[in-house]
Amino acid sequence: MAVRRVVPNLRTQDPGEQREFYGLLGFEEVMDQGWIMTVASPSAPSAQVSFITQDRTGPVHPDVSVEVDDVDAVYAAVRESGAEIVHPLQDEEWGVRRFFVRDPEGRVVNVLAHPH
């Protein structure tokens, strides 16, 4: 199991305002789904921040997203550990396979993989 990237998910009421502000820091928009928008550094594309108004299918806002190479293996390991699954493993209509798990401090982690 390998981690591909980690992205903080910051709550916002106005993603456009966040895009403008983070643009001043050198970030550019790389994804906008209406309810979540991500900006990235053009010189280091894996340096990203997402701004979320609500989660489209999850019951809560995830605090951080962790992209992994094998989400099914991570899901199995997390379930075996007894950690709280907040949102079950599923394929989402926007092309990711993901689940939410609560970390020991109560933060919600969105664990996902993109199809290869």
Side-chain angles (χ1 to χ4, degrees):
M1 295 181 288
V3 173
R4 294 180 179 228
R5 69 185 166 117
V6 177
V7 181
N9 298 318
L10 305 179
R11 294 181 185 138
T12 186
Q13 296 302 312
D14 190 344
E17 183 177 69
Q18 298 301 323
R19 179 182 47 247
E20 288 179 30
F21 175 79
Y22 280 81
L24 299 172
L25 304 177
F27 286 91
E28 295 179 352
E29 181 184 307
V30 294
M31 179 193 74
D32 186 350
Q33 301 236 6
W35 56 275
I36 187 169
M37 187 261 305
T38 302
V39 295
S41 165
S43 61
S46 64
Q48 299 181 353
V49 180
S50 288
F51 303 96
I52 186 169
T53 58
Q54 64 183 23
D55 192 273
R56 175 104 179 228
T57 62
V60 297
H61 294 93
D63 297 297
V64 64
S65 292
V66 177
E67 182 181 355
V68 297
D69 65 341
D70 187 345
V71 72
D72 293 281
V74 174
Y75 185 70
V78 166
R79 285 187 49 135
E80 187 174 311
S81 79
E84 179 188 353
I85 302 297
V86 179
H87 183 60
L89 181 64
Q90 64 186 45
D91 295 319
E92 301 288 6
E93 65 186 47
W94 55 92
V96 300
R97 184 165 174 77
R98 71 177 185 157
F99 70 95
F100 293 0
V101 62
R102 196 171 304 277
D103 81 5
E105 293 292 328
R107 288 176 291 263
V108 176
V109 181
N110 172 32
V111 183
L112 68 119
H114 288 276
H116 300 294

